[in-house]
Amino acid sequence: MKVLAEKAVVVGTGLIGASLASAAKQAGVFARVSGVGRSEANLQAALSAGHVDVVTTRLDEALDGADLVVLAVPVDTAVALLPEVVEATGESCLLTDVGSVKTPICEAAVAAGAAARFVGAHPMAGGTDSGAVHADPDLFRGRVAVVTPTPETDAAGIEVVERLWQALGSRVVTMGSREHDATVAVTSHLPQLLATCLAETATRCDDRGHLEELIAGGFRDTSRLAASDVAMWASIVDLNSEAIVEAMDAFTAGWERLRAAIEAGDAAAVESILTAGCSMRESIGK
Amino acid sequence: MKVLAEKAVVVGTGLIGASLASAAKQAGVFARVSGVGRSEANLQAALSAGHVDVVTTRLDEALDGADLVVLAVPVDTAVALLPEVVEATGESCLLTDVGSVKTPICEAAVAAGAAARFVGAHPMAGGTDSGAVHADPDLFRGRVAVVTPTPETDAAGIEVVERLWQALGSRVVTMGSREHDATVAVTSHLPQLLATCLAETATRCDDRGHLEELIAGGFRDTSRLAASDVAMWASIVDLNSEAIVEAMDAFTAGWERLRAAIEAGDAAAVESILTAGCSMRESIGK
């Protein structure tokens, strides 16, 4: 495959960063990859597994001569690092990221004067394990990668990032950062918060100590996400609060309709909501 | 194991009824079992697999000489059939059921003058497949079986039903029907309705046709129950509406606290709710 970057720099060699570096090297789209991170142990794990060619804890050192930089750190860290990355790289160096909320980093790129050479990305992949030791070059295969250019991104830059994700085996969906954030507020952040509040409700309803004994598979499935990393989700909620409140309100509107129908004993209305949910869930498959 | 019934009758030889009959025969606690049902094909499936000893579509015929009757039909059908079953059986014949809502059938037993010889039961087991062809004598092994006597049930009758479920490999939890219904409203009915409303919300939020592309494992897990049988759930909602509305309101209280904290940017309050949900979910294991 055609080389997309002679010298790529992956900032953050955790699960996503190391998997991306490894897959891009294997696919031949990154000629050389530098890994940057704070943890020496994690960098050495990425290096010894061959996911990256060189590693350093010094961001400025790594960025020297880079033609593509991938920020693979938490969204708030990426937003904080971006001005330094813009400053240390040339106008021809393409900048991208992998964060799960896209408007803050796209706005940061505009604010840093790098709107033309920044393209956001969000691979819909991940896992419960973290760190370079769990990196897997097939992590993105068969998954959707959302690509979110800024309004001023060069067409050529968009194409490079789209081709990068295609090379990793992902199906690319390109949209604006606000559309991305509103959509994942419904498809990802809303399920997380529902799972959290279901589990939290159970802690308040256990009058006689029998509640846990009557928990079966349905509760487990529906609340599974509640066990996710609290700090990561607190940050996502903070960074996408507006779209999340909107998604919560959309849910509440349906929830209140259902409650009213149940209280009124309106069997037809209850069945209509159950049917709408059933059809939608069946349409997306197992 | 000691025989608990010389002639047991299982009314409804679907997944639960046929599995129960099969397991009770294997365990030696039912000497002979008659299966009653409306579908000849399903009855023949139960008979040819050896789950029951004889089958009939005639309830009165089956009940003759019975010393234990298990109603393994949907709750509303069980409530409708109970007076006939009480009428056709002697005072020494123990009556039980397997429904997922317990107050209506316990009240029906009291109304039919059979409070002393009725003991409700609800095995926390099941599957997506239905019918005698999917029956499995190990279906109840390792699961909880809730036993709900009426306030007047004879102690000896309670003991027989408890020993029946223990013989099938279940762990027995005994409680009043109202406590059962309030608890499953939280552990089973609430997750179902949250999954339904999550899926229903998604149908209203797909402005640009990209929503399904951005659905990943989290949405799938949290909404999985939405694909459940609509008619069955419409009936459960109808039969347990009071406790369900109470559980929905308990959820809504936490949901509104979370929404207010997110809108106010109150990171400490958001994190405290995420942490409560996370701890609870981790405590019940995978």
Side-chain angles (χ1 to χ4, degrees):
Chain A
M1 217 166 284
K2 197 185 147 206
V3 168
L4 298 172
E6 288 298 334
K7 181 186 174 183
V9 177
V10 174
V11 182
T13 55
L15 178 72
I16 302 287
S19 297
L20 184 154
S22 176
K25 271 166 55 78
Q26 279 190 15
V29 292
F30 286 179
R32 279 174 306 140
V33 192
S34 302
V36 188
R38 285 178 306 186
S39 153
E40 286 279 5
N42 189 60
L43 287 172
Q44 286 309 318
L47 185 66
S48 62
H51 300 322
V52 294
D53 301 303
V54 290
V55 293
T56 174
T57 55
R58 298 226 6 223
L59 181 60
D60 55 350
E61 194 180 287
L63 293 173
D64 188 44
D67 50 5
L68 194 153
V69 179
V70 182
L71 295 165
V73 287
V75 179
D76 48 357
T77 309
V79 167
L81 286 178
L82 192 66
E84 183 180 345
V85 173
V86 168
E87 185 71 27
T89 50
E91 277 299 324
S92 65
C93 177
L94 190 63
L95 311 176
T96 186
D97 81 319
V98 297
S100 58
V101 180
K102 302 263 49 93
T103 302
I105 190 79
C106 286
E107 287 183 351
V110 172
R117 59 186 177 105
F118 181 85
V119 191
H122 174 207
M124 306 287 291
T128 46
D129 296 320
S130 61
V133 290
H134 295 107
D136 171 9
D138 289 326
L139 188 64
F140 311 109
R141 201 159 292 285
R143 302 306 188 94
V144 163
V146 186
V147 170
T148 65
T150 76
E152 286 90 39
T153 309
D154 285 339
I158 301 175
E159 204 190 319
V160 167
V161 173
E162 288 176 343
R163 282 164 63 189
L164 166 60
W165 287 102
Q166 283 157 1
L168 308 188
S170 295
R171 192 160 61 79
V172 169
V173 179
T174 303
M175 60 177 71
S177 66
R178 289 196 179 275
E179 188 189 355
H180 169 275
D181 291 354
T183 308
V184 294
V186 175
T187 62
S188 166
H189 309 171
L190 184 58
Q192 173 63 43
L193 300 181
L194 289 171
T196 292
C197 285
L198 169 59
E200 191 273 338
T201 300
T203 66
R204 284 182 283 115
C205 293
D206 193 11
D207 289 348
R208 305 198 193 178
H210 280 312
L211 190 133
E212 283 198 13
E213 297 177 308
L214 270 61
I215 282 176
F219 187 97
R220 276 173 213 281
D221 276 352
T222 314
S223 64
R224 192 174 313 281
L225 290 177
S228 308
D229 186 82
V230 168
M232 186 187 86
W233 276 99
S235 170
I236 290 174
V237 164
D238 178 51
L239 291 161
N240 200 29
S241 60
E242 216 171 292
I244 286 175
V245 166
E246 218 168 284
M248 290 179 83
D249 289 347
F251 171 86
T252 302
W255 185 244
E256 285 178 352
R257 271 195 294 278
L258 177 60
R259 184 202 182 281
I262 294 174
E263 197 172 42
D266 184 344
V270 169
E271 205 161 315
S272 141
I273 297 170
L274 289 171
T275 302
C278 184
S279 305
M280 189 280 162
R281 185 60 185 82
E282 281 183 339
S283 78
I284 60 171
K286 300 214 167 165
Chain B
M1 217 167 284
K2 195 185 149 203
V3 169
L4 298 173
E6 287 298 335
K7 182 186 175 183
V9 176
V10 175
V11 183
T13 55
L15 177 72
I16 302 288
S19 297
L20 183 153
S22 177
K25 270 167 56 78
Q26 278 189 18
V29 292
F30 286 180
R32 278 174 308 139
V33 191
S34 303
V36 188
R38 285 178 308 186
S39 154
E40 286 279 7
N42 189 61
L43 287 172
Q44 287 308 319
L47 184 65
S48 63
H51 300 321
V52 294
D53 300 304
V54 290
V55 293
T56 175
T57 56
R58 297 220 13 219
L59 182 60
D60 54 350
E61 195 180 287
L63 293 174
D64 188 45
D67 51 4
L68 193 153
V69 179
V70 182
L71 295 165
V73 288
V75 179
D76 46 358
T77 308
V79 168
L81 287 178
L82 193 66
E84 185 181 343
V85 173
V86 168
E87 185 70 26
T89 50
E91 276 299 322
S92 66
C93 177
L94 190 61
L95 310 176
T96 186
D97 81 320
V98 297
S100 58
V101 181
K102 303 260 52 91
T103 303
I105 190 78
C106 286
E107 287 182 350
V110 172
R117 59 186 176 108
F118 181 85
V119 190
H122 174 207
M124 305 288 292
T128 47
D129 297 320
S130 61
V133 291
H134 295 107
D136 171 9
D138 289 327
L139 188 64
F140 311 109
R141 201 160 292 286
R143 303 306 188 92
V144 164
V146 186
V147 169
T148 65
T150 75
E152 285 90 41
T153 308
D154 284 340
I158 301 175
E159 203 190 320
V160 167
V161 172
E162 288 176 344
R163 282 164 63 188
L164 167 60
W165 288 102
Q166 283 158 0
L168 308 187
S170 296
R171 192 159 60 82
V172 169
V173 179
T174 302
M175 61 176 72
S177 66
R178 290 197 178 276
E179 188 190 355
H180 169 276
D181 291 355
T183 308
V184 294
V186 175
T187 62
S188 167
H189 309 169
L190 184 59
Q192 173 63 43
L193 299 180
L194 289 171
T196 292
C197 285
L198 170 59
E200 191 272 338
T201 301
T203 66
R204 286 182 282 115
C205 294
D206 193 10
D207 290 346
R208 305 197 192 178
H210 281 311
L211 189 132
E212 282 198 13
E213 296 176 312
L214 271 62
I215 282 175
F219 187 97
R220 275 173 215 281
D221 276 351
T222 315
S223 64
R224 193 175 313 281
L225 291 177
S228 308
D229 186 83
V230 168
M232 185 187 86
W233 276 99
S235 170
I236 289 173
V237 164
D238 178 50
L239 292 160
N240 200 29
S241 59
E242 216 172 293
I244 287 176
V245 165
E246 217 169 285
M248 290 178 84
D249 288 348
F251 172 86
T252 301
W255 186 244
E256 284 178 353
R257 271 197 293 278
L258 177 60
R259 185 201 181 281
I262 294 174
E263 196 172 42
D266 184 344
V270 169
E271 206 162 314
S272 138
I273 297 170
L274 289 170
T275 301
C278 185
S279 306
M280 190 279 162
R281 184 61 186 81
E282 282 183 337
S283 78
I284 61 170
K286 301 212 165 168

